[in-house]
Amino acid sequence: MNEFGKAAAAGGVVPAVNLAYAHALAGDRSKAEALLREMLDAPRPLPFALARLYLGLGDHERAIDSIERALAEGGGGPWFLAVNPAFDRLQSHRRYQAMMRRLGIRP
């Protein structure tokens, strides 16, 4: 956790999300949510990164909302969903399945 903290202190959204994600996975929900609130106040939070954090917190609906926002903004690419194992836990979610079909990534 200390290394994530050092990276987050150096600045940038991705290290901050990684730190918050690590706190979420370690069961420190209050710290993860506090960091999430800070990120949401940032001028331009990265929706794919926030989606990953929401997954760490177990909030699948908000994760999918963030993914849809990222796709609408043209941030990243849908291929990211197919190769990042963090999104595997959404495989059984109907909204996620429908989105993947629309994107032509999965049947």
Side-chain angles (χ1 to χ4, degrees):
M1 198 77 67
N2 191 29
E3 296 303 315
F4 284 121
K6 288 178 187 176
V13 174
V14 174
V17 167
N18 288 337
L19 176 62
Y21 185 71
H23 280 293
L25 294 182
D28 191 351
R29 187 175 187 88
S30 62
K31 183 66 175 172
E33 288 176 341
L35 291 166
L36 172 62
R37 284 189 296 276
E38 288 177 23
M39 284 178 261
L40 291 173
D41 289 338
R44 188 141 162 78
L46 300 173
F48 275 124
L50 292 175
R52 187 169 153 258
L53 175 52
Y54 283 127
L55 285 172
L57 290 167
D59 191 338
H60 293 182
E61 293 298 325
R62 284 191 178 165
I64 294 170
D65 290 344
S66 288
I67 293 167
E68 288 176 340
R69 187 170 27 262
L71 294 171
E73 293 175 2
W79 61 269
F80 186 76
L81 300 170
V83 299
N84 189 323
F87 297 103
D88 287 350
R89 65 188 87 179
L90 291 175
Q91 296 296 325
S92 63
H93 197 287
R94 288 186 313 187
R95 278 181 63 204
Y96 185 78
Q97 292 170 355
M99 179 176 46
M100 297 302 275
R101 280 192 300 275
R102 281 192 314 272
L103 294 169
I105 294 176
R106 296 210 172 91

